[in-house]
Amino acid sequence: MTTSPTVRERIDALRELLHHHAHRYYVLDDPEIPDAEYDRLLRELQALEEEHPELLTPDSPTRRVGGKPLEGFAKVRHKVPMLSIRTETDIEATGARNFDARVRRELGLAEADPPVEYVAELKFDGLAVNLRYEHGRLVQAATRGDGQVGEDVTQNIRTIGQVPLQLQGRDAPAVLEVRGEVYMRRDDFEELNEQQREKIARGAKNEKTFVNPRNAAAGAVRQLDPAITRQRPLSFYAYGWGEITPPEQGGPAFETHHQVLQALKAWGLPLSSRTRVAQGADELIAYHQEVGRIRDQLPFDIDGVVYKVNSLALQRRLGFVTREPRWAVAHKFPAQEQLTTVESIDVYVGRTGKLTPVARLAPVFVGGVTVTNATLHNEDEARRKDVRMGDTVIVRRAGDVIPEVVAVVVDKRTHASPPFAMPSRCPVCGSEAVREEGEVDHRCTGGLFCGAQRKQALLHFAQRRAMDIEGLGEKLVDQLVDGGVIKTLPDLYRMGLASLTALERMGEKSAQNLLAGLERSKSTTLPRFLFALGIRHVGESTARDLARHFGRLHAIMDAGVDQLLQVPDVGPVVAESIHTFFQQPHNREVVEQLQKPPPDGCGVHWEETEPAAAAVLPLAGKTVVLTGTLPTLGREEAKELLEAAGAKVAGSVSKKTSYVVAGAEAGSKLDKARELGVPVLDEDGLRALLQAPPGRAGV
């Protein structure tokens, strides 16, 4: 049979590529491509070799399991080879059903025969190791290596707390090799990467963050210094065995795979609690679906499940084919990482003004869906990963988590795109984009004008503690903004009955009620109005402090940072945020339109007060606690009256409390006040306190 040069060249190229990536993955612990891409290349080579068996060579990646042992570790020849198992990539039921049909066919079972019993277990995404115990003591630990020869990592494995140095019980065989997976929990991985980022920020050399938990675990196991491994949070699960003392030499006799697992557990080895015995294909399918549903809730990464024939006698009958046992298969889930290219980097503006860089990608199927966008989180992350337009990148999507760019394949970069930089202006409204001191995010400062923030600004403006506009909820705001009825806050007060009744599911009565609510909201207070503007870091308390200190809105709008810092509890970050907000022409224009009388403006108004420097408040410096139900005053009304008088309203009673105002059904706060000797007032006492002359309200 003749073979075209094109096929031969493709096979040679695939082998060279797979050898390269296997070395990066297994030996250097620094993969350049995701697992799914490696599997795709391997399947292509397998298919070509099956079509052209004359080109099959002993050193082909299809005949090997892993990479060569790392130089610097002693080599260990496995007494029983650590072979890999066949992979089913079909994400539906077909993978389990195909495996069951293949097993039944190999065993010569008829359709009427009972179902085959299997063990179903998780396919951990870590580093496979072999632990050798002699007379119950751990004497050696080795990596898989190329399946025949691995690396001696005994000292490193001894640092893992879950690996017993001495087996439990007295019935352990003289020789026992335990096969299992070293892995890193997701929370431990995140903590490790945070520590790495801190080291890098401090200028440490030769430090890096890790791409994924598997990469981090493998790198830790292969450290030449066990002290470094000890600092890495590694875990271990057992799932099989290698050499074991046979029954005729005094070793245990087992009939099933599950019996061996239970024996390992009894000897002190950690096993996954999610391992199951399953009858036939239907129960394998159910297991695959169950694990798929909880996959993202597990504390560690898995990339599929494994099915194994339970009967050891049947395993021996089925035997092996080339490098794989016929009695086991790995049924993978949709790949959570894939390779694609960055077509552009855009900046998305969120409802609160946060600017997020987003990579627009060549479409790629990952995590069960086609992904075209991936978040880069913020400028620091985009620069740390050095993502540029045109780059080949690894994209990850797990469950419902927003897809993200994990890493750039720098070796594939052939262009000269500049590093990413966050724009100085909002891409939606053109307002200044700022990054506050100590923050990682950039934000648009055009909160009252920016189209991206329009819905959030309206909902915040209308809430009960702000302008208290009844009937203006989220669904109606969506209709008003999406329909183009409202573009800025003043448009709220310019709506007519006709424009409202034209909306879907908006009757005339509801429209009239909303217009009445809008009219009532025009009479408000300066603290409420300030809070309603949605200035970053300005909550209700800060709004009251600002109003009390300056007295008039324009005094706040024109105040410099130094003047704002004179307000109690206003620090540099808050002062800068307020100053920046009112320096934006768009924001000032909206405020002016809201406050200006009709017909040119909306007519929002409030009673002006004297600034704090010109007025001494009766309860300045006092702390008051409200408890129970007052006869005529609601809780919010009483709170506003107290704060207007200069008091701080607290939620708990302490020695620093000046008064407790108690109504009907007062509870533990009243008891606490009596215990501490704090003065207790009823509603009449509260009203008298509020009317007291300045300086006469103290006790």
Side-chain angles (χ1 to χ4, degrees), residues 362-378:
V364 60
F365 190 77
V366 55
V369 300
T370 298
V371 169
T372 56
N373 303 316
T375 180
L376 298 175
H377 298 292
N378 52 58

Side-chain angles (χ1 to χ4, degrees), residues 300-343:
F300 43 77
D301 283 352
I302 61 171
D303 56 5
V305 296
V306 177
Y307 312 135
K308 298 174 181 175
V309 172
N310 195 21
S311 167
L312 299 183
L314 293 183
Q315 285 187 13
R316 288 189 288 270
R317 278 181 57 188
L318 289 164
F320 297 81
V321 55
T322 59
R323 60 197 279 268
E324 301 165 345
R326 288 192 176 95
W327 42 266
V329 73
H331 192 177
K332 284 201 171 184
F333 291 122
Q336 292 182 306
E337 292 184 357
Q338 284 286 13
L339 214 59
T340 187
T341 55
V342 178
E343 296 182 338

Side-chain angles (χ1 to χ4, degrees), residues 351-589:
R351 287 163 60 99
T352 61
K354 175 184 172 182
L355 272 61
T356 302
V358 176
R360 307 299 182 191
L361 308 170
V364 60
F365 190 77
V366 55
V369 300
T370 298
V371 169
T372 56
N373 303 316
T375 180
L376 298 175
H377 298 292
N378 52 58
E379 184 179 47
D380 288 352
E381 276 293 286
R383 284 180 171 273
R384 183 179 66 80
K385 295 175 181 175
D386 193 22
V387 182
R388 308 186 188 188
M389 191 171 68
D391 276 348
T392 298
V393 294
I394 299 173
V395 178
R396 179 177 176 83
R397 180 187 180 273
D400 295 327
V401 176
I402 297 172
E404 67 170 339
V405 172
V406 176
V408 175
V409 184
V410 180
D411 290 350
K412 289 180 176 285
R413 181 180 288 164
T414 57
H415 51 85
S417 297
F420 171 78
M422 190 69 77
S424 60
R425 296 269 166 193
C426 171
V428 174
C429 71
S431 298
E432 185 181 1
V434 299
R435 177 178 178 176
E436 296 173 355
E437 186 177 349
E439 295 280 336
V440 297
D441 297 318
H442 287 69
R443 293 184 181 275
C444 167
T445 56
L448 301 184
F449 176 81
C450 182
Q453 303 174 67
R454 194 169 295 152
K455 292 180 181 180
Q456 181 70 22
L458 283 167
L459 288 169
H460 180 80
F461 187 81
Q463 67 171 285
R464 183 172 58 85
R465 295 177 298 165
M467 299 301 288
D468 194 17
I469 303 173
E470 292 185 31
L472 191 63
E474 190 168 351
K475 291 183 179 179
L476 180 55
V477 166
D478 286 343
Q479 282 187 281
L480 292 170
V481 173
D482 294 342
V485 178
I486 292 179
K487 290 185 171 62
T488 64
L489 287 178
D491 291 340
L492 267 175
Y493 295 99
R494 295 171 180 147
M495 293 188 300
L497 188 63
S499 61
L500 285 172
T501 53
L503 297 173
E504 186 179 353
R505 296 187 298 277
M506 174 62 78
E508 185 172 337
K509 182 65 175 174
S510 297
Q512 289 175 338
N513 289 339
L514 176 58
L515 292 174
L518 284 163
E519 191 62 32
R520 284 193 299 272
S521 74
K522 291 181 181 180
S523 180
T524 185
T525 65
L526 179 54
R528 279 180 173 269
F529 184 77
L530 282 171
F531 175 60
L533 294 179
I535 305 169
R536 183 160 166 77
H537 301 307
V538 176
E540 293 175 88
S541 178
T542 302
R544 283 190 294 269
D545 291 340
L546 288 166
R548 187 180 300 143
H549 183 86
F550 288 99
R552 291 173 171 79
L553 176 62
H554 276 279
I556 301 171
M557 293 173 66
D558 296 335
V561 172
D562 290 341
Q563 292 171 289
L564 290 165
L565 285 171
Q566 296 174 18
V567 180
D569 297 327
V570 170
V573 172
V574 179
E576 189 64 45
S577 178
I578 298 166
H579 179 70
T580 301
F581 180 89
F582 284 118
Q583 289 303 300
Q584 301 302 311
H586 300 314
N587 293 340
R588 295 182 73 96
E589 181 182 348

